[in-house]
Amino acid sequence: MNFEFSEEQQMLRDNARRYLSETMTFERLRAQIDRAMPFDSALWRQVGELGWTGAAVPEEFGGLGLGAMELCVLAEELGRVLAPLPFLQTAAIAVDLLRRTATPAGNALLERIASAETVIAIAGLDADTPAARLEWRDGILSGSTGPLAWAMQADHAIVHAGTAGKPALLLVDLAEAGVQRRALPGIDPLVPHGALTFYGVPATLLAEGDTARGLHAGARNLGAVLTAFEQIGAADTACAMTVGYVKERHAFGRPIGGYQAVKHKLADMTVKTELARSNAWFGAWALADGPAQLDMAAAAARISATEALDYAAQECLHLHGGIGYTWEANCHFYYTRARLLASALGNSAEWGERLLAATATATATATATH
């Protein structure tokens, strides 16, 4: 297994880091919150011009035709600056599902995603089975979703509906009559959430039955690995911010970073982040070349990255002392993003069960072959 990025992927990472560090400042994030406009459409168009929204879109639909590894590179850099963009939902998961199902409506959307002309919300990533409050029958969708990121800004939604016995993946045009949106408060003001209610809305069938079940499981695994890279990027920055502060903050005539207790906290932040990085790289490899181990790799990446960012965000706030709890400090950006990402795909307990199940299956398979 090669857990290193290629020269081209490192170049993509360096260029993305340079662009985002110059573009996504804390001042810009605060301005978006103050204007109550968390979706930066100008930034979305800019990353589209750079080709990021079409990174995984096939070339025949105007994209770059890149793979999962490149998506992981971009996810980490976007997480590093807490970029308030629907990259995971639109440029990664929606592209993957639309590309695999290859419907005329989906192909047309791929072209719009590549040019950053659309946003797509994904309903159903927090559970393996469809929500009981969503019903799909004879091409008509009824019911409501739970909180969805970017639901208020999305033009379309991909919905996991039906029953546990016969699930379906549906593409819904949110401009249809019968679609109602409701904004919901969220812990992270940079990632708006809303709920969608469907009153007999026509929907395009992407897949159903076992095919839909497999595609949905793959979408959750893809989301887990990419979110892990996003969490690692954020944890890296939170750790660097904390190191910089404890070197400058003095107490009793010396920098507080010189005290052993503070050093231990910083060491723990680094160890947890590097462990998460190893698991995330395993997940990236499984996405690209190891589908048989993807369930295990995605669950491990999800659990370790969630723990890493949770710890880094909390200790970033704690080690800044009283100022860390104020709006003027930047610690809260990482804390709220950590809380959001920890629950975005289902909680860690659920992913722990998935990891145990995947490990048991792998062990049984290895025992049978020997």
Side-chain angles (χ1 to χ4, degrees):
M1 298 180 189
N2 182 10
F3 290 137
E4 291 292 336
F5 292 131
S6 68
E7 184 178 344
E8 292 78 10
Q9 290 160 353
Q10 290 176 10
M11 186 179 301
L12 174 64
R13 179 196 61 191
D14 293 342
N15 290 336
R17 186 172 301 180
R18 186 180 307 111
Y19 171 78
L20 290 170
S21 65
E22 296 172 354
T23 305
M24 287 309 307
T25 62
F26 288 114
E27 290 74 17
R28 184 167 184 167
L29 296 179
R30 282 190 168 82
Q32 288 182 225
I33 295 174
D34 291 340
R35 295 196 307 265
M37 295 177 61
F39 178 53
D40 192 333
S41 56
L43 180 63
W44 185 239
R45 289 193 299 270
Q46 289 169 11
V47 300
E49 292 171 0
L50 292 170
W52 298 359
T53 60
V57 175
E59 293 183 22
E60 66 251 44
F61 301 115
L64 300 180
L66 302 178
M69 295 296 288
E70 287 75 18
L71 290 177
C72 292
V73 170
L74 292 172
E76 182 174 354
E77 297 312 314
L78 291 167
R80 194 177 299 277
V81 296
L82 306 177
L85 295 174
F87 182 83
L88 173 69
Q89 295 81 0
T90 303
I93 294 175
V95 167
D96 187 65
L97 292 174
L98 296 175
R99 181 175 56 82
R100 293 181 186 277
T101 52
T103 63
N107 292 341
L109 268 183
L110 286 174
E111 296 181 357
R112 296 188 62 199
I113 292 172
S115 57
E117 296 177 11
T118 190
V119 172
I120 300 179
I122 311 291
L125 289 179
D126 57 343
D128 289 327
T129 56
R133 54 183 176 272
L134 284 169
E135 179 182 357
W136 178 71
R137 182 178 301 173
D138 300 327
I140 301 299
L141 177 65
S142 300
S144 61
T145 70
L148 297 182
W150 309 105
M152 305 304 293
Q153 293 75 26
D155 307 295
H156 290 76
I158 296 178
V159 180
H160 191 217
T163 65
K166 192 177 181 180
L169 285 173
L170 309 169
L171 177 62
V172 185
D173 186 345
L174 298 183
E176 290 279 358
V179 176
Q180 184 180 84
R181 311 184 200 219
R182 179 167 55 92
L184 297 174
I187 189 171
D188 188 341
L190 290 168
V191 182
H193 280 67
L196 300 174
T197 302
F198 306 104
Y199 295 98
V201 177
T204 300
L205 178 65
L206 297 177
E208 62 181 333
D210 290 339
T211 302
R213 188 176 293 110
L215 288 171
H216 180 260
R220 292 197 75 196
N221 284 337
L222 175 62
V225 174
L226 292 180
T227 300
F229 275 94
E230 182 180 351
Q231 290 168 311
I232 290 168
D236 267 346
T237 307
C239 185
M241 179 192 304
T242 308
V243 170
Y245 180 78
V246 300
K247 286 180 177 179
E248 296 178 357
R249 177 72 168 89
H250 284 63
F252 304 106
R254 60 183 293 193
I256 63 173
Y259 292 100
Q260 189 175 42
V262 175
K263 291 180 180 179
H264 286 174
K265 293 289 187 181
L266 297 175
D268 288 343
M269 291 168 70
T270 302
V271 169
K272 289 178 184 296
T273 301
E274 291 307 309
L275 175 62
R277 193 187 311 278
S278 297
N279 282 309
W281 280 347
F282 180 31
W285 170 83
L287 283 174
D289 298 308
Q293 300 186 58
L294 181 55
D295 285 348
M296 181 193 302
R302 171 66 178 162
I303 294 168
S304 59
T306 297
E307 181 179 354
L309 180 54
D310 274 356
Y311 187 83
Q314 289 178 29
E315 293 308 323
C316 175
L317 190 151
H318 292 160
L319 292 176
H320 274 74
I323 194 174
Y325 290 83
T326 66
W327 177 250
E328 288 72 18
N330 297 320
C331 307
H332 57 89
F333 286 111
Y334 295 92
Y335 185 80
T336 54
R337 185 61 57 90
R339 293 290 80 226
L340 172 64
L341 295 180
S343 59
L345 296 164
N347 59 42
S348 293
E350 178 192 348
W351 284 94
E353 294 175 0
R354 289 166 65 92
L355 178 59
L356 288 174
T359 303
T361 300
T363 302
T365 301
T367 302
T369 56
H370 291 83

